[in-house]
Amino acid sequence: MIAGCLVLKYFEELVGFAGGILDVLTPLLLGCVIAYILNIVLRFLEKHFQVPQKQKWLASWKRPVCILLDLGIIVLILTAVVGLVLPEIVNSAKLLGESIPTVINDVINFLSLHAVEFPEIQEYLKDFQLNWPKILENMLGFATSGIGSLFSSAITIAGEVFGGVVNLGLGFIFAIYLLANKERIWEQMGRLCRAYLPKRVREVGLEFLQLTDDTFSSFLVGQCTEAVILGVLCTIGMLLLRLPYAVMTGVVVGVTALVPIVGAFLGAALGAFMILIVDPMKALIFLVFLVILQQLEENLIYPRVVGSSVGLPGIWVLAAVTVGGGLAGVLGMLVGVPLAATIYKWIGRRTRLRLEMIGNTKK
């Protein structure tokens, strides 16, 4: 009772204190997440990295070589994605900036030709001319007048970006350390648990951790596989339909497909917007094609690749994405589904064991 009153009284201070601790631990937590993701690929590489019997000295190099290969694969994938998407986005932005004055003038001319019934509007449109040099001059003047606030905002953003880069770098270093010493760290954690936790708690905790690891690993592998399949099918379909930005749009659709449910709409919106700049009719064709492709993906690809491994009903997937996105944004959407699946499986397993125990007791 007293503790609850103290928590309510000093709630803001406690939240601030917890936020400060979380900021300090951010690189370590980020390193744990990176290490877990990299470990999925690392286990595959170490499983297929066979050391010859006559060259046992290579065994000591197995872990470092596999870690370097793991990092190389991740860097190669990120470089390919950025290299395919970024140039097309820059070109589309340039094309959009060049086409805005033409589009506005076309709209004005169209309205002028079809405004015969409204002479006042027609006269107004005839006199309405956009002086683009004057508009750019006004914009430059506005930017100059607000240079002080812009400079301070730029410094703030640069500081946040620099802090994020530092945290990411420290996280990567910590992740490499975890991967290089994962067996030793796991053994130390086991000894610590055996020393201070009861046997029943250890068994239940280990069971939950194993279930969590299986669910998250299956989800990540299945989600990445499904995203690659969807991106490849989207690219092939767009090439056959002769739609612009086929490779770039396929990459965007594949990347956004990593986010369950919401990613499909996000990928469709981004792809349609890019194509709309070039040809509105082709953007409509793309939307129809993508709707058909996503129906194929939801009914055939996703259940076989991801659905069976996660084992979470659709209603709970939607709830997990909604709650996770509200709490932690895109990261919450990604983590929400496997976390909800883990809890769902855990509750189902414990409920089944409990009912079996009650049934045996009644007998």
Side-chain angles (χ1 to χ4, degrees), residues 18 154 173 187 230 250 287:
I173 296 174
E187 181 183 357
L230 184 62
L287 289 176

Side-chain angles (χ1 to χ4, degrees), residues 155-206:
I155 293 178
T156 302
I157 295 174
E160 293 179 356
V161 171
F162 178 75
V165 171
V166 171
N167 288 337
L168 185 62
L170 293 175
F172 260 108
I173 296 174
F174 187 64
I176 299 302
Y177 175 81
L178 291 178
L179 292 175
N181 302 275
K182 57 181 182 178
E183 289 86 2
R184 181 182 177 184
I185 295 175
W186 182 256
E187 181 183 357
Q188 292 174 345
M189 295 298 295
R191 292 179 59 187
L192 190 65
C193 292
R194 288 194 299 270
Y196 293 98
L197 295 178
K199 181 179 180 180
R200 178 59 180 170
V201 175
R202 293 200 310 269
E203 293 176 351
V204 173
L206 182 61

